[in-house]
mmCIF file of all heavy atoms in Angstrom:
data_model
loop_
_atom_site.group_PDB
_atom_site.id
_atom_site.type_symbol
_atom_site.label_atom_id
_atom_site.label_comp_id
_atom_site.label_asym_id
_atom_site.label_seq_id
_atom_site.Cartn_x
_atom_site.Cartn_y
_atom_site.Cartn_z
ATOM 1 N N SER A 278 2.964 -16.775 7.322
ATOM 2 C CA SER A 278 1.743 -17.494 6.951
ATOM 3 C C SER A 278 0.742 -16.607 6.222
ATOM 4 O O SER A 278 0.422 -16.846 5.068
ATOM 5 C CB SER A 278 1.097 -18.097 8.195
ATOM 6 O OG SER A 278 0.855 -17.072 9.165
ATOM 7 N N GLU A 279 0.271 -15.545 6.872
ATOM 8 C CA GLU A 279 -0.782 -14.720 6.295
ATOM 9 C C GLU A 279 -0.312 -13.285 6.113
ATOM 10 O O GLU A 279 0.554 -12.795 6.830
ATOM 11 C CB GLU A 279 -2.036 -14.751 7.171
ATOM 12 C CG GLU A 279 -2.686 -16.130 7.237
ATOM 13 C CD GLU A 279 -3.987 -16.097 8.023
ATOM 14 O OE1 GLU A 279 -4.225 -15.100 8.738
ATOM 15 O OE2 GLU A 279 -4.762 -17.066 7.932
ATOM 16 N N ILE A 280 -0.922 -12.611 5.117
ATOM 17 C CA ILE A 280 -0.598 -11.217 4.820
ATOM 18 C C ILE A 280 -1.589 -10.326 5.555
ATOM 19 O O ILE A 280 -2.808 -10.479 5.405
ATOM 20 C CB ILE A 280 -0.673 -10.962 3.300
ATOM 21 C CG1 ILE A 280 0.225 -11.945 2.553
ATOM 22 C CG2 ILE A 280 -0.303 -9.528 2.975
ATOM 23 C CD1 ILE A 280 0.045 -11.928 1.048
ATOM 24 N N HIS A 281 -1.071 -9.382 6.355
ATOM 25 C CA HIS A 281 -1.930 -8.488 7.134
ATOM 26 C C HIS A 281 -1.494 -7.043 6.931
ATOM 27 O O HIS A 281 -0.415 -6.770 6.375
ATOM 28 C CB HIS A 281 -1.866 -8.837 8.622
ATOM 29 C CG HIS A 281 -2.386 -10.210 8.944
ATOM 30 N ND1 HIS A 281 -3.707 -10.560 8.781
ATOM 31 C CD2 HIS A 281 -1.743 -11.324 9.394
ATOM 32 C CE1 HIS A 281 -3.870 -11.827 9.141
ATOM 33 N NE2 HIS A 281 -2.685 -12.312 9.509
ATOM 34 N N ASP A 282 -2.325 -6.119 7.429
ATOM 35 C CA ASP A 282 -2.012 -4.692 7.317
ATOM 36 C C ASP A 282 -0.677 -4.343 7.971
ATOM 37 O O ASP A 282 -0.002 -3.404 7.552
ATOM 38 C CB ASP A 282 -3.123 -3.851 7.963
ATOM 39 C CG ASP A 282 -4.391 -3.834 7.121
ATOM 40 O OD1 ASP A 282 -4.319 -4.261 5.947
ATOM 41 O OD2 ASP A 282 -5.435 -3.407 7.639
ATOM 42 N N GLU A 283 -0.302 -5.103 9.003
ATOM 43 C CA GLU A 283 0.944 -4.784 9.719
ATOM 44 C C GLU A 283 2.172 -4.930 8.817
ATOM 45 O O GLU A 283 3.206 -4.315 9.073
ATOM 46 C CB GLU A 283 1.093 -5.685 10.937
ATOM 47 C CG GLU A 283 1.288 -7.153 10.602
ATOM 48 C CD GLU A 283 1.394 -8.022 11.854
ATOM 49 O OE1 GLU A 283 0.797 -7.660 12.876
ATOM 50 O OE2 GLU A 283 2.091 -9.041 11.778
ATOM 51 N N HIS A 284 2.056 -5.704 7.752
ATOM 52 C CA HIS A 284 3.187 -5.854 6.837
ATOM 53 C C HIS A 284 3.385 -4.628 5.953
ATOM 54 O O HIS A 284 4.374 -4.545 5.222
ATOM 55 C CB HIS A 284 2.990 -7.101 5.966
ATOM 56 C CG HIS A 284 2.931 -8.371 6.757
ATOM 57 N ND1 HIS A 284 1.808 -9.165 6.818
ATOM 58 C CD2 HIS A 284 3.856 -8.966 7.561
ATOM 59 C CE1 HIS A 284 2.044 -10.195 7.605
ATOM 60 N NE2 HIS A 284 3.284 -10.104 8.073
ATOM 61 N N PHE A 285 2.433 -3.683 6.017
ATOM 62 C CA PHE A 285 2.536 -2.461 5.224
ATOM 63 C C PHE A 285 2.586 -1.217 6.115
ATOM 64 O O PHE A 285 2.383 -0.114 5.639
ATOM 65 C CB PHE A 285 1.327 -2.347 4.279
ATOM 66 C CG PHE A 285 1.161 -3.513 3.351
ATOM 67 C CD1 PHE A 285 0.340 -4.575 3.690
ATOM 68 C CD2 PHE A 285 1.845 -3.555 2.151
ATOM 69 C CE1 PHE A 285 0.185 -5.662 2.829
ATOM 70 C CE2 PHE A 285 1.698 -4.639 1.279
ATOM 71 C CZ PHE A 285 0.875 -5.693 1.630
ATOM 72 N N ARG A 286 2.831 -1.423 7.435
ATOM 73 C CA ARG A 286 2.741 -0.288 8.361
ATOM 74 C C ARG A 286 3.794 0.783 8.085
ATOM 75 O O ARG A 286 3.618 1.944 8.458
ATOM 76 C CB ARG A 286 2.842 -0.767 9.805
ATOM 77 C CG ARG A 286 4.159 -1.421 10.185
ATOM 78 C CD ARG A 286 4.159 -1.837 11.656
ATOM 79 N NE ARG A 286 5.404 -2.472 12.057
ATOM 80 C CZ ARG A 286 5.639 -3.764 11.940
ATOM 81 N NH1 ARG A 286 4.703 -4.546 11.435
ATOM 82 N NH2 ARG A 286 6.802 -4.279 12.327
ATOM 83 N N GLU A 287 4.889 0.412 7.431
ATOM 84 C CA GLU A 287 5.916 1.409 7.110
ATOM 85 C C GLU A 287 5.656 2.099 5.783
ATOM 86 O O GLU A 287 6.400 2.994 5.387
ATOM 87 C CB GLU A 287 7.292 0.730 7.081
ATOM 88 C CG GLU A 287 7.713 0.174 8.437
ATOM 89 C CD GLU A 287 9.079 -0.479 8.385
ATOM 90 O OE1 GLU A 287 9.676 -0.513 7.285
ATOM 91 O OE2 GLU A 287 9.554 -0.926 9.446
ATOM 92 N N ARG A 288 4.608 1.704 5.077
ATOM 93 C CA ARG A 288 4.256 2.309 3.797
ATOM 94 C C ARG A 288 3.252 3.444 4.022
ATOM 95 O O ARG A 288 2.370 3.344 4.881
ATOM 96 C CB ARG A 288 3.652 1.257 2.851
ATOM 97 C CG ARG A 288 4.518 0.003 2.669
ATOM 98 C CD ARG A 288 5.744 0.299 1.830
ATOM 99 N NE ARG A 288 6.695 -0.787 1.773
ATOM 100 C CZ ARG A 288 6.772 -1.665 0.765
ATOM 101 N NH1 ARG A 288 5.914 -1.611 -0.236
ATOM 102 N NH2 ARG A 288 7.709 -2.598 0.784
ATOM 103 N N MET A 289 3.380 4.495 3.250
ATOM 104 C CA MET A 289 2.497 5.656 3.410
ATOM 105 C C MET A 289 1.045 5.291 3.100
ATOM 106 O O MET A 289 0.122 5.665 3.822
ATOM 107 C CB MET A 289 2.971 6.790 2.486
ATOM 108 C CG MET A 289 2.208 8.088 2.658
ATOM 109 S SD MET A 289 2.967 9.421 1.673
ATOM 110 C CE MET A 289 1.911 10.797 2.138
ATOM 111 N N PHE A 290 0.843 4.559 1.991
ATOM 112 C CA PHE A 290 -0.497 4.101 1.616
ATOM 113 C C PHE A 290 -0.405 2.648 1.165
ATOM 114 O O PHE A 290 0.617 2.205 0.636
ATOM 115 C CB PHE A 290 -1.083 4.927 0.459
ATOM 116 C CG PHE A 290 -1.296 6.379 0.767
ATOM 117 C CD1 PHE A 290 -0.508 7.352 0.168
ATOM 118 C CD2 PHE A 290 -2.289 6.783 1.641
ATOM 119 C CE1 PHE A 290 -0.699 8.687 0.440
ATOM 120 C CE2 PHE A 290 -2.485 8.115 1.927
ATOM 121 C CZ PHE A 290 -1.688 9.079 1.327
ATOM 122 N N HIS A 291 -1.481 1.921 1.365
ATOM 123 C CA HIS A 291 -1.584 0.579 0.807
ATOM 124 C C HIS A 291 -3.054 0.227 0.676
ATOM 125 O O HIS A 291 -3.911 0.808 1.341
ATOM 126 C CB HIS A 291 -0.863 -0.451 1.688
ATOM 127 C CG HIS A 291 -1.597 -0.789 2.950
ATOM 128 N ND1 HIS A 291 -1.511 -0.014 4.097
ATOM 129 C CD2 HIS A 291 -2.452 -1.801 3.253
ATOM 130 C CE1 HIS A 291 -2.261 -0.542 5.044
ATOM 131 N NE2 HIS A 291 -2.852 -1.623 4.569
ATOM 132 N N LYS A 292 -3.343 -0.702 -0.227
ATOM 133 C CA LYS A 292 -4.714 -1.180 -0.330
ATOM 134 C C LYS A 292 -4.737 -2.553 -0.984
ATOM 135 O O LYS A 292 -3.749 -3.004 -1.590
ATOM 136 C CB LYS A 292 -5.597 -0.195 -1.096
ATOM 137 C CG LYS A 292 -5.401 -0.116 -2.587
ATOM 138 C CD LYS A 292 -6.451 0.834 -3.167
ATOM 139 C CE LYS A 292 -6.360 0.923 -4.679
ATOM 140 N NZ LYS A 292 -7.403 1.811 -5.230
ATOM 141 N N LYS A 293 -5.887 -3.182 -0.860
ATOM 142 C CA LYS A 293 -6.097 -4.535 -1.356
ATOM 143 C C LYS A 293 -7.244 -4.500 -2.363
ATOM 144 O O LYS A 293 -8.315 -3.970 -2.073
ATOM 145 C CB LYS A 293 -6.414 -5.450 -0.168
ATOM 146 C CG LYS A 293 -6.841 -6.859 -0.496
ATOM 147 C CD LYS A 293 -7.150 -7.575 0.823
ATOM 148 C CE LYS A 293 -7.698 -8.971 0.592
ATOM 149 N NZ LYS A 293 -8.034 -9.635 1.881
ATOM 150 N N THR A 294 -7.019 -5.053 -3.571
ATOM 151 C CA THR A 294 -8.028 -5.026 -4.621
ATOM 152 C C THR A 294 -8.290 -6.443 -5.103
ATOM 153 O O THR A 294 -7.360 -7.203 -5.367
ATOM 154 C CB THR A 294 -7.567 -4.168 -5.818
ATOM 155 O OG1 THR A 294 -7.218 -2.864 -5.354
ATOM 156 C CG2 THR A 294 -8.672 -4.053 -6.866
ATOM 157 N N ARG A 295 -9.549 -6.782 -5.236
ATOM 158 C CA ARG A 295 -9.953 -8.110 -5.725
ATOM 159 C C ARG A 295 -10.381 -7.974 -7.185
ATOM 160 O O ARG A 295 -11.225 -7.140 -7.519
ATOM 161 C CB ARG A 295 -11.108 -8.626 -4.873
ATOM 162 C CG ARG A 295 -11.655 -9.989 -5.272
ATOM 163 C CD ARG A 295 -12.860 -10.317 -4.383
ATOM 164 N NE ARG A 295 -13.385 -11.646 -4.616
ATOM 165 C CZ ARG A 295 -14.273 -11.959 -5.543
ATOM 166 N NH1 ARG A 295 -14.733 -11.003 -6.346
ATOM 167 N NH2 ARG A 295 -14.719 -13.198 -5.677
ATOM 168 N N ILE A 296 -9.800 -8.794 -8.073
ATOM 169 C CA ILE A 296 -10.187 -8.755 -9.483
ATOM 170 C C ILE A 296 -10.602 -10.151 -9.932
ATOM 171 O O ILE A 296 -10.135 -11.147 -9.394
ATOM 172 C CB ILE A 296 -9.050 -8.229 -10.393
ATOM 173 C CG1 ILE A 296 -7.858 -9.189 -10.413
ATOM 174 C CG2 ILE A 296 -8.613 -6.842 -9.975
ATOM 175 C CD1 ILE A 296 -6.802 -8.826 -11.440
ATOM 176 N N GLU A 297 -11.510 -10.200 -10.900
ATOM 177 C CA GLU A 297 -11.930 -11.457 -11.510
ATOM 178 C C GLU A 297 -11.483 -11.436 -12.961
ATOM 179 O O GLU A 297 -11.799 -10.506 -13.702
ATOM 180 C CB GLU A 297 -13.444 -11.620 -11.420
ATOM 181 C CG GLU A 297 -13.953 -11.732 -9.988
ATOM 182 C CD GLU A 297 -15.453 -11.959 -9.917
ATOM 183 O OE1 GLU A 297 -16.051 -12.295 -10.968
ATOM 184 O OE2 GLU A 297 -16.029 -11.797 -8.837
ATOM 185 N N THR A 298 -10.750 -12.470 -13.370
ATOM 186 C CA THR A 298 -10.220 -12.498 -14.729
ATOM 187 C C THR A 298 -10.103 -13.930 -15.204
ATOM 188 O O THR A 298 -9.561 -14.786 -14.509
ATOM 189 C CB THR A 298 -8.853 -11.781 -14.804
ATOM 190 O OG1 THR A 298 -8.353 -11.843 -16.136
ATOM 191 C CG2 THR A 298 -7.844 -12.371 -13.849
ATOM 192 N N GLN A 299 -10.639 -14.226 -16.393
ATOM 193 C CA GLN A 299 -10.575 -15.548 -17.017
ATOM 194 C C GLN A 299 -10.924 -16.675 -16.027
ATOM 195 O O GLN A 299 -10.204 -17.654 -15.902
ATOM 196 C CB GLN A 299 -9.183 -15.802 -17.627
ATOM 197 C CG GLN A 299 -8.935 -15.073 -18.928
ATOM 198 C CD GLN A 299 -8.570 -13.621 -18.727
ATOM 199 O OE1 GLN A 299 -7.979 -13.266 -17.719
ATOM 200 N NE2 GLN A 299 -8.918 -12.769 -19.674
ATOM 201 N N GLY A 300 -12.031 -16.485 -15.323
ATOM 202 C CA GLY A 300 -12.523 -17.537 -14.440
ATOM 203 C C GLY A 300 -11.816 -17.668 -13.106
ATOM 204 O O GLY A 300 -12.122 -18.571 -12.328
ATOM 205 N N ARG A 301 -10.846 -16.784 -12.823
ATOM 206 C CA ARG A 301 -10.131 -16.834 -11.555
ATOM 207 C C ARG A 301 -10.299 -15.528 -10.802
ATOM 208 O O ARG A 301 -10.566 -14.482 -11.397
ATOM 209 C CB ARG A 301 -8.622 -17.061 -11.784
ATOM 210 C CG ARG A 301 -8.232 -18.435 -12.280
ATOM 211 C CD ARG A 301 -8.487 -19.518 -11.255
ATOM 212 N NE ARG A 301 -7.750 -19.287 -10.006
ATOM 213 C CZ ARG A 301 -8.081 -19.837 -8.849
ATOM 214 N NH1 ARG A 301 -9.139 -20.622 -8.760
ATOM 215 N NH2 ARG A 301 -7.367 -19.598 -7.778
ATOM 216 N N VAL A 302 -10.120 -15.603 -9.499
ATOM 217 C CA VAL A 302 -10.083 -14.408 -8.649
ATOM 218 C C VAL A 302 -8.647 -14.206 -8.202
ATOM 219 O O VAL A 302 -7.999 -15.145 -7.718
ATOM 220 C CB VAL A 302 -11.006 -14.569 -7.424
ATOM 221 C CG1 VAL A 302 -10.805 -13.401 -6.452
ATOM 222 C CG2 VAL A 302 -12.458 -14.652 -7.846
ATOM 223 N N TRP A 303 -8.132 -13.009 -8.397
ATOM 224 C CA TRP A 303 -6.810 -12.638 -7.905
ATOM 225 C C TRP A 303 -6.956 -11.489 -6.917
ATOM 226 O O TRP A 303 -7.830 -10.623 -7.073
ATOM 227 C CB TRP A 303 -5.891 -12.211 -9.047
ATOM 228 C CG TRP A 303 -5.344 -13.346 -9.850
ATOM 229 C CD1 TRP A 303 -5.608 -14.665 -9.699
ATOM 230 C CD2 TRP A 303 -4.421 -13.246 -10.946
ATOM 231 N NE1 TRP A 303 -4.917 -15.409 -10.621
ATOM 232 C CE2 TRP A 303 -4.177 -14.567 -11.400
ATOM 233 C CE3 TRP A 303 -3.783 -12.188 -11.577
ATOM 234 C CZ2 TRP A 303 -3.330 -14.837 -12.457
ATOM 235 C CZ3 TRP A 303 -2.928 -12.468 -12.634
ATOM 236 C CH2 TRP A 303 -2.701 -13.778 -13.070
ATOM 237 N N THR A 304 -6.093 -11.464 -5.922
ATOM 238 C CA THR A 304 -6.050 -10.357 -4.962
ATOM 239 C C THR A 304 -4.746 -9.595 -5.184
ATOM 240 O O THR A 304 -3.668 -10.189 -5.134
ATOM 241 C CB THR A 304 -6.118 -10.884 -3.518
ATOM 242 O OG1 THR A 304 -7.308 -11.665 -3.365
ATOM 243 C CG2 THR A 304 -6.146 -9.730 -2.535
ATOM 244 N N ILE A 305 -4.876 -8.291 -5.435
ATOM 245 C CA ILE A 305 -3.710 -7.450 -5.710
ATOM 246 C C ILE A 305 -3.483 -6.513 -4.516
ATOM 247 O O ILE A 305 -4.380 -5.760 -4.140
ATOM 248 C CB ILE A 305 -3.901 -6.611 -6.987
ATOM 249 C CG1 ILE A 305 -4.485 -7.455 -8.126
ATOM 250 C CG2 ILE A 305 -2.604 -5.937 -7.388
ATOM 251 C CD1 ILE A 305 -3.598 -8.545 -8.620
ATOM 252 N N TYR A 306 -2.301 -6.587 -3.924
ATOM 253 C CA TYR A 306 -1.908 -5.659 -2.862
ATOM 254 C C TYR A 306 -0.998 -4.596 -3.483
ATOM 255 O O TYR A 306 0.016 -4.929 -4.098
ATOM 256 C CB TYR A 306 -1.150 -6.383 -1.750
ATOM 257 C CG TYR A 306 -1.975 -7.366 -0.955
ATOM 258 C CD1 TYR A 306 -2.135 -8.678 -1.388
ATOM 259 C CD2 TYR A 306 -2.591 -6.992 0.234
ATOM 260 C CE1 TYR A 306 -2.887 -9.593 -0.662
ATOM 261 C CE2 TYR A 306 -3.341 -7.884 0.973
ATOM 262 C CZ TYR A 306 -3.490 -9.190 0.518
ATOM 263 O OH TYR A 306 -4.233 -10.088 1.243
ATOM 264 N N THR A 307 -1.363 -3.323 -3.329
ATOM 265 C CA THR A 307 -0.513 -2.238 -3.805
ATOM 266 C C THR A 307 -0.108 -1.372 -2.627
ATOM 267 O O THR A 307 -0.894 -1.152 -1.699
ATOM 268 C CB THR A 307 -1.231 -1.373 -4.859
ATOM 269 O OG1 THR A 307 -2.515 -0.963 -4.354
ATOM 270 C CG2 THR A 307 -1.443 -2.146 -6.154
ATOM 271 N N SER A 308 1.122 -0.865 -2.662
ATOM 272 C CA SER A 308 1.612 -0.008 -1.580
ATOM 273 C C SER A 308 2.679 0.919 -2.133
ATOM 274 O O SER A 308 3.260 0.672 -3.190
ATOM 275 C CB SER A 308 2.172 -0.852 -0.427
ATOM 276 O OG SER A 308 3.233 -1.674 -0.880
ATOM 277 N N THR A 309 2.936 2.002 -1.401
ATOM 278 C CA THR A 309 3.895 3.002 -1.867
ATOM 279 C C THR A 309 5.325 2.546 -1.626
ATOM 280 O O THR A 309 5.624 1.858 -0.655
ATOM 281 C CB THR A 309 3.667 4.340 -1.143
ATOM 282 O OG1 THR A 309 3.668 4.113 0.275
ATOM 283 C CG2 THR A 309 2.343 4.953 -1.546
ATOM 284 N N ARG A 310 6.199 2.948 -2.550
ATOM 285 C CA ARG A 310 7.632 2.729 -2.415
ATOM 286 C C ARG A 310 8.282 3.996 -1.845
ATOM 287 O O ARG A 310 7.644 5.054 -1.797
ATOM 288 C CB ARG A 310 8.239 2.398 -3.784
ATOM 289 C CG ARG A 310 7.889 1.013 -4.301
ATOM 290 C CD ARG A 310 8.176 0.873 -5.790
ATOM 291 N NE ARG A 310 9.533 1.255 -6.138
ATOM 292 C CZ ARG A 310 10.563 0.415 -6.210
ATOM 293 N NH1 ARG A 310 10.370 -0.865 -5.970
ATOM 294 N NH2 ARG A 310 11.764 0.842 -6.545
ATOM 295 N N PRO A 311 9.549 3.935 -1.406
ATOM 296 C CA PRO A 311 10.218 5.142 -0.893
ATOM 297 C C PRO A 311 10.209 6.296 -1.889
ATOM 298 O O PRO A 311 10.135 7.459 -1.495
ATOM 299 C CB PRO A 311 11.648 4.650 -0.615
ATOM 300 C CG PRO A 311 11.493 3.196 -0.331
ATOM 301 C CD PRO A 311 10.379 2.731 -1.218
ATOM 302 N N GLU A 312 10.249 5.973 -3.209
ATOM 303 C CA GLU A 312 10.236 7.039 -4.218
ATOM 304 C C GLU A 312 8.962 7.863 -4.140
ATOM 305 O O GLU A 312 8.983 9.084 -4.339
ATOM 306 C CB GLU A 312 10.380 6.422 -5.615
ATOM 307 C CG GLU A 312 11.748 5.841 -5.922
ATOM 308 C CD GLU A 312 11.946 4.445 -5.403
ATOM 309 O OE1 GLU A 312 11.077 3.937 -4.646
ATOM 310 O OE2 GLU A 312 12.979 3.834 -5.729
ATOM 311 N N PHE A 313 7.852 7.216 -3.848
ATOM 312 C CA PHE A 313 6.582 7.940 -3.698
ATOM 313 C C PHE A 313 6.635 8.829 -2.458
ATOM 314 O O PHE A 313 6.263 10.006 -2.501
ATOM 315 C CB PHE A 313 5.430 6.932 -3.588
ATOM 316 C CG PHE A 313 4.057 7.563 -3.477
ATOM 317 C CD1 PHE A 313 3.260 7.665 -4.601
ATOM 318 C CD2 PHE A 313 3.570 8.040 -2.263
ATOM 319 C CE1 PHE A 313 1.993 8.239 -4.514
ATOM 320 C CE2 PHE A 313 2.314 8.608 -2.159
ATOM 321 C CZ PHE A 313 1.526 8.712 -3.293
ATOM 322 N N GLU A 314 7.078 8.269 -1.365
ATOM 323 C CA GLU A 314 7.073 9.001 -0.099
ATOM 324 C C GLU A 314 8.054 10.177 -0.124
ATOM 325 O O GLU A 314 7.827 11.201 0.514
ATOM 326 C CB GLU A 314 7.400 8.026 1.031
ATOM 327 C CG GLU A 314 6.275 6.997 1.224
ATOM 328 C CD GLU A 314 6.744 5.707 1.865
ATOM 329 O OE1 GLU A 314 7.843 5.695 2.435
ATOM 330 O OE2 GLU A 314 5.990 4.711 1.785
ATOM 331 N N GLN A 315 9.154 10.024 -0.887
ATOM 332 C CA GLN A 315 10.117 11.126 -0.987
ATOM 333 C C GLN A 315 9.559 12.306 -1.762
ATOM 334 O O GLN A 315 9.950 13.452 -1.538
ATOM 335 C CB GLN A 315 11.406 10.625 -1.650
ATOM 336 C CG GLN A 315 12.218 9.695 -0.764
ATOM 337 C CD GLN A 315 13.304 8.962 -1.532
ATOM 338 O OE1 GLN A 315 13.525 9.231 -2.722
ATOM 339 N NE2 GLN A 315 13.979 8.033 -0.871
ATOM 340 N N THR A 316 8.647 12.043 -2.697
ATOM 341 C CA THR A 316 8.049 13.119 -3.496
ATOM 342 C C THR A 316 6.724 13.604 -2.933
ATOM 343 O O THR A 316 6.115 14.515 -3.483
ATOM 344 C CB THR A 316 7.822 12.641 -4.939
ATOM 345 O OG1 THR A 316 6.934 11.504 -4.932
ATOM 346 C CG2 THR A 316 9.136 12.244 -5.595
ATOM 347 N N ALA A 317 6.252 12.987 -1.846
ATOM 348 C CA ALA A 317 4.966 13.375 -1.267
ATOM 349 C C ALA A 317 5.085 14.703 -0.522
ATOM 350 O O ALA A 317 6.100 14.999 0.111
ATOM 351 C CB ALA A 317 4.471 12.289 -0.318
ATOM 352 N N ALA A 318 4.041 15.498 -0.604
ATOM 353 C CA ALA A 318 3.997 16.778 0.123
ATOM 354 C C ALA A 318 3.653 16.526 1.594
ATOM 355 O O ALA A 318 3.019 15.525 1.936
ATOM 356 C CB ALA A 318 2.960 17.688 -0.510
ATOM 357 N N HIS A 319 4.085 17.435 2.473
ATOM 358 C CA HIS A 319 3.801 17.329 3.905
ATOM 359 C C HIS A 319 3.400 18.693 4.455
ATOM 360 O O HIS A 319 3.736 19.726 3.879
ATOM 361 C CB HIS A 319 5.033 16.817 4.669
ATOM 362 C CG HIS A 319 5.459 15.445 4.271
ATOM 363 N ND1 HIS A 319 4.811 14.305 4.694
ATOM 364 C CD2 HIS A 319 6.466 15.027 3.444
ATOM 365 C CE1 HIS A 319 5.412 13.247 4.168
ATOM 366 N NE2 HIS A 319 6.411 13.658 3.405
ATOM 367 N N ALA A 320 2.693 18.658 5.583
ATOM 368 C CA ALA A 320 2.235 19.904 6.209
ATOM 369 C C ALA A 320 2.991 20.220 7.496
ATOM 370 O O ALA A 320 2.584 21.098 8.260
ATOM 371 C CB ALA A 320 0.734 19.803 6.495
ATOM 372 N N HIS A 321 4.114 19.542 7.761
ATOM 373 C CA HIS A 321 4.840 19.760 9.015
ATOM 374 C C HIS A 321 5.363 21.197 9.139
ATOM 375 O O HIS A 321 5.533 21.694 10.256
ATOM 376 C CB HIS A 321 6.015 18.777 9.111
ATOM 377 C CG HIS A 321 5.593 17.335 9.005
ATOM 378 N ND1 HIS A 321 4.450 16.852 9.608
ATOM 379 C CD2 HIS A 321 6.167 16.292 8.355
ATOM 380 C CE1 HIS A 321 4.345 15.565 9.346
ATOM 381 N NE2 HIS A 321 5.367 15.197 8.577
ATOM 382 N N TRP A 322 5.641 21.818 8.007
ATOM 383 C CA TRP A 322 6.170 23.186 8.050
ATOM 384 C C TRP A 322 5.195 24.170 8.688
ATOM 385 O O TRP A 322 5.587 25.238 9.162
ATOM 386 C CB TRP A 322 6.489 23.669 6.626
ATOM 387 C CG TRP A 322 5.305 23.561 5.708
ATOM 388 C CD1 TRP A 322 4.981 22.530 4.919
ATOM 389 C CD2 TRP A 322 4.283 24.549 5.519
ATOM 390 N NE1 TRP A 322 3.827 22.769 4.230
ATOM 391 C CE2 TRP A 322 3.378 24.027 4.580
ATOM 392 C CE3 TRP A 322 4.048 25.822 6.044
ATOM 393 C CZ2 TRP A 322 2.241 24.717 4.159
ATOM 394 C CZ3 TRP A 322 2.916 26.515 5.623
ATOM 395 C CH2 TRP A 322 2.032 25.969 4.695
ATOM 396 N N ALA A 323 3.887 23.823 8.703
ATOM 397 C CA ALA A 323 2.884 24.770 9.198
ATOM 398 C C ALA A 323 3.042 25.049 10.686
ATOM 399 O O ALA A 323 2.714 26.138 11.167
ATOM 400 C CB ALA A 323 1.479 24.246 8.918
ATOM 401 N N ILE A 324 3.571 24.064 11.440
ATOM 402 C CA ILE A 324 3.646 24.252 12.898
ATOM 403 C C ILE A 324 4.694 25.294 13.281
ATOM 404 O O ILE A 324 4.366 26.272 13.978
ATOM 405 C CB ILE A 324 3.911 22.902 13.587
ATOM 406 C CG1 ILE A 324 2.702 21.983 13.387
ATOM 407 C CG2 ILE A 324 4.196 23.107 15.072
ATOM 408 C CD1 ILE A 324 2.880 20.604 13.978
ATOM 409 N N PRO A 325 5.977 25.177 12.873
ATOM 410 C CA PRO A 325 6.933 26.223 13.263
ATOM 411 C C PRO A 325 6.589 27.585 12.672
ATOM 412 O O PRO A 325 6.777 28.618 13.336
ATOM 413 C CB PRO A 325 8.268 25.713 12.724
ATOM 414 C CG PRO A 325 7.922 24.704 11.682
ATOM 415 C CD PRO A 325 6.645 24.087 12.132
#
C-alpha cells in the first residue's frame, strides 16, 4: 500500500525529494544499488 523507510533498510543511503514541474508535484525516491555499496569505503579495518 504505502512506501516507507523500511523498504530501503537494506540500502546504504536513501532519500525522498519533492519536485514541482509543469504544474504537477512528483516525489522522487533515490537509493543506493549494490554497485555503490561495493565501491564504498569502510572503517572496519581500524578495529583489528
Side-chain angles (χ1 to χ4, degrees):
S278 56
E279 295 185 345
I280 305 170
H281 297 294
D282 287 347
E283 66 182 30
H284 298 116
F285 303 94
R286 63 179 180 272
E287 296 181 359
R288 307 288 172 98
M289 185 173 182
F290 297 110
H291 74 277
K292 73 175 183 178
K293 172 182 175 182
T294 305
R295 179 184 185 274
I296 66 172
E297 296 183 14
T298 179
Q299 284 80 30
R301 290 293 301 160
V302 172
W303 283 2
T304 303
I305 315 295
Y306 293 86
T307 51
S308 59
T309 53
R310 288 164 53 93
E312 290 83 352
F313 182 99
E314 293 156 16
Q315 289 167 6
T316 60
H319 297 283
H321 303 320
W322 55 268
I324 294 178

